[in-house]
Amino acid sequence: MSPVLTVAADLVGRGHEVVVYTGSRFEERALAIGARFQALPPEADLDDRKLDTLFPVRATLPPGPAQLSFDFENFFLGHLPAQVRGLRALLATFPADVVLGELGFWSIPVLSLSTAPEERPTLVTLGSVPLLIQSEDTPAFGAGIVPTPGEEARARNRAMNAEVRQVFAELQRFGEATFESLGVTVPGYLFDAPFRRTDHYLQLTVPSFEYPRSDLPEHLQFVGTLPPASTGDYVEPPWWPELSAGRPVVVVTQGTVANNDLNELVIPTVRALADLDVLVVAATVREDGPDLVRRALAEVPDNVRLAGFVPFDRLLPHADALVTNGGYGGVQTALYYGVPLVVAGASEDKPEVAARVEWSGTGVNLRTSMPGATELRAAVQTVLRDPSYRSQAGILAKEIGQYNPFEAIAEIVDAPARRPGPRTGPIELAPRPAGAV
């Protein structure tokens, strides 16, 4: 939701009328940026923080195809009929000129397939994970394999892509049945639909952080990294001046999703760097994160500072390295500031993010979600001592600086409306906050 809300805030600031349509837990954040809010229908309105509690079997599934199939059958596709129904009801009273969503918002390909372009809003999809569209130029998504050139490699890629389609054959059939229940047909491979069935696919990175492909759709473009949201109200902790005291600063985080078990990366990193001449900032994101780390250690090392949420726009300009499990947004933010990386992740899209870090020369890929202390220590020392990683991260930072994703999105939104005309009726949504434009 962070990329969507960041874009929504910019559009509100430009004077556009914006409705945020998502889970009810984000209502307060949507209203705070001056947008209106409409919750998903109750049967699709789940709290993503409680999925493993609501669906205990999910926690038993290993990362990879099994967990991904479960998520699609129960959430992305399982709730699609309700999501589409709610969106159509919203558009009936609020005939928007543009519907903008991230990759997981599967109502966009349904609208694209079910309605002629002149009879619907312009559809814009934000790419907030690495490109997973199949291509003969790249290995199958999920394997975390860096591509190589040549016909032999392309033949291997085609074989891998076919194998992946077979692995997800049952999910393909589930998706086809779901789409057919909505009156449309899945055109080809299910996972390619969000890329091919939208008017504009905007990848939130720069070309140098994505594998080159010769067969991308024409409507797919790179628009650069969203700048980190400003957090002017953050109260700096007492140790903040130490960030500028001269020691290399190493930040470690497991992001906002895969942080249930800090023993995967945060705690091992704290242990691995305990006797190095560096300042370690453990940004656990969780409110109880610092206490969890303290309980796991006999003693917190002298060079470690524990924190819950720390805004990256304030912290990363001081960092010399970021140790992360490979969340796409966090990695993009590190590159925005030219910070080299050590990446260790195995769930969701993280192996693919780590592979792109390796391929771009901006950091070290540990190829595991639970690295040992020896591996972590060596990787951090490598990134700090070898100037090529900082140099490559700096090159990407300069490239990121040449893009303006807000302007790219505004250009689409400001284009002449396809369906001009006044609103046909009142929209019953949460009221806009006082003083909002």
Side-chain angles (χ1 to χ4, degrees):
M1 277 305 298
S2 291
V4 173
L5 290 174
T6 299
V7 170
D10 180 75
L11 292 173
V12 169
R14 293 172 185 266
H16 294 294
E17 190 173 9
V18 178
V19 175
V20 175
Y21 173 60
T22 188
S24 57
R25 85 174 185 92
F26 294 101
E27 178 175 2
E28 184 176 341
R29 289 176 61 183
L31 296 177
I33 64 174
R36 302 188 193 185
F37 180 80
Q38 177 65 48
L40 291 163
E43 59 267 47
D45 189 7
L46 293 182
D47 189 331
D48 58 284
R49 298 166 296 185
K50 303 175 181 178
L51 295 184
D52 287 345
T53 301
L54 295 170
F55 301 88
V57 67
R58 184 180 185 273
T60 68
L61 299 174
Q67 193 176 89
L68 185 63
S69 294
F70 182 92
D71 288 349
F72 267 84
E73 290 183 10
N74 288 277
F75 314 129
F76 293 102
L77 295 174
H79 291 151
L80 184 58
Q83 183 190 101
V84 171
R85 183 178 71 250
L87 179 61
R88 285 175 171 159
L90 172 59
L91 292 175
T93 57
F94 186 82
D97 300 304
V98 177
V99 171
L100 184 150
E102 44 74 47
L103 176 63
F105 188 64
W106 281 66
S107 287
I108 285 181
V110 171
L111 283 183
S112 175
L113 291 164
S114 63
T115 313
E118 64 274 10
E119 297 176 359
R120 59 164 172 77
T122 299
L123 305 175
V124 181
T125 303
L126 299 178
S128 54
V129 301
L131 288 178
L132 56 82
I133 186 171
Q134 288 202 334
S135 168
E136 69 170 15
D137 297 322
T138 60
F141 189 91
I145 299 175
V146 174
T148 54
E151 180 53 38
E152 184 177 343
R154 284 192 289 273
R156 177 204 61 184
N157 296 339
R158 288 191 291 269
M160 288 183 67
N161 288 333
E163 183 179 350
V164 166
R165 290 194 294 271
Q166 185 59 39
V167 168
F168 290 111
E170 185 175 342
L171 181 59
Q172 176 81 21
R173 288 189 287 271
F174 182 89
E176 289 172 352
T178 302
F179 271 56
E180 287 171 5
S181 74
L182 296 168
V184 296
T185 301
V186 174
Y189 183 48
L190 177 68
F191 286 113
D192 282 355
F195 296 90
R196 300 193 182 278
R197 301 299 167 174
T198 185
D199 298 318
H200 303 272
Y201 193 95
L202 309 181
Q203 186 65 22
L204 296 175
T205 190
V206 292
S208 293
F209 195 70
E210 187 53 72
Y211 306 144
R213 294 169 171 84
S214 60
D215 49 7
L216 285 177
E218 292 185 0
H219 61 264
L220 190 153
Q221 67 180 107
F222 294 89
V223 296
T225 299
L226 290 172
S230 176
T231 49
D233 58 348
Y234 175 71
V235 178
E236 296 174 352
W239 49 261
W240 198 262
E242 296 180 59
L243 297 173
S244 305
R247 281 192 295 179
V249 176
V250 179
V251 177
V252 57
T253 183
Q254 288 181 213
T256 57
V257 178
N259 62 7
N260 288 331
D261 184 3
L262 298 180
N263 286 292
E264 290 184 355
L265 186 60
V266 170
I267 292 169
T269 301
V270 168
R271 288 177 172 146
L273 307 183
D275 61 345
L276 292 184
D277 187 22
V278 298
L279 179 67
V280 180
V281 179
T284 65
V285 180
R286 303 171 50 144
E287 289 185 12
D288 61 348
D291 288 336
L292 291 175
V293 176
R294 290 187 188 99
R295 287 200 292 268
L297 301 172
E299 184 178 355
V300 177
D302 292 339
N303 67 338
V304 173
R305 304 295 174 263
L306 302 177
F309 170 75
V310 184
F312 271 13
D313 68 305
R314 304 282 288 276
L315 178 60
L316 288 187
H318 299 283
D320 295 281
L322 174 66
V323 181
T324 171
N325 57 357
Y328 196 70
V331 167
Q332 294 298 310
T333 304
L335 296 176
Y336 183 92
Y337 291 110
V339 179
L341 299 126
V342 173
V343 187
S347 62
E348 296 93 28
D349 59 328
K350 293 177 175 61
E352 291 293 334
V353 177
R356 283 156 176 78
V357 168
E358 176 185 349
W359 174 80
S360 64
T362 56
V364 173
N365 177 10
L366 291 178
R367 302 177 183 275
T368 178
S369 62
M370 300 186 70
T374 301
E375 296 171 276
L376 283 164
R377 181 185 177 94
V380 169
Q381 288 180 315
T382 296
V383 166
L384 292 178
R385 293 172 179 174
D386 186 341
S388 67
Y389 294 105
R390 169 69 72 171
S391 175
Q392 284 299 114
I395 290 172
L396 260 74
K398 289 180 181 179
E399 185 176 354
I400 289 170
Q402 296 171 1
Y403 286 76
N404 188 326
F406 292 137
E407 289 298 328
I409 294 167
E411 184 176 343
I412 295 171
V413 173
D414 290 337
R418 297 187 182 195
R419 300 180 297 124
R423 298 276 186 260
T424 58
I427 177 170
E428 297 181 2
L429 301 171
R432 304 176 89 171
V437 177

